[in-house]
Amino acid sequence: MEIFRDFTFDAAHAIEGLPDGHKCKHMHGHTYRLTVYLTGGLDPTIGWILDFADLKKLVWTECLDVLDHKNLNEIAGMGSPTCENITLWIWGRLKPKLPGLTQITVREGANSGCTYSG
Ligand SMILES: [Zn+2]
């Protein structure tokens, strides 16, 4: 059994190293959607893996407070702020705090994204 929670955050980025004329070379913004999946045993009294409210607080504190309404090119440790590197950065911050983390998905707009499971 896995539970998940969706989050959204807004941020800007520009991808360096692209050829002239590539639209992603210039600073622009996205509304990103993050989905966090985790597993674990059910609390025998309450019957849940984790309180969704606690998950929300953790993801915001560890990741989204850092990323939301920011220039992702200036985030320490991210490198080139591609969807793939954003996903790896979020995974690296969440996994130590959430041992049951099984997968995260970062969607960059409606039709594109990256999934990582370690
Ligand atoms: Zn972009």
Side-chain angles (χ1 to χ4, degrees), residues 20-97:
D20 289 341
H22 195 296
K23 65 180 183 179
C24 296
K25 183 173 186 168
H26 305 286
M27 187 62 67
H28 61 282
H30 294 281
T31 296
Y32 290 92
R33 259 182 51 206
L34 165 67
T35 308
V36 174
Y37 297 85
L38 62 137
T39 190
L42 291 184
D43 180 298
T45 303
I46 300 175
W48 64 26
I49 293 172
L50 183 67
D51 187 340
F52 287 122
D54 290 342
L55 180 59
K56 177 183 178 183
K57 185 177 178 187
L58 179 75
V59 170
W60 270 95
T61 301
E62 293 299 320
C63 299
L64 303 186
D65 282 341
V66 181
L67 302 179
D68 189 43
H69 285 78
K70 299 292 181 358
N71 174 358
L72 299 179
N73 293 75
E74 298 175 349
I75 301 298
M78 184 176 291
S80 178
T82 57
C83 195
E84 291 85 339
N85 281 335
I86 297 165
T87 303
L88 288 171
W89 187 92
I90 292 171
W91 179 273
R93 308 238 333 170
L94 289 183
K95 186 63 176 173
K97 306 278 182 167

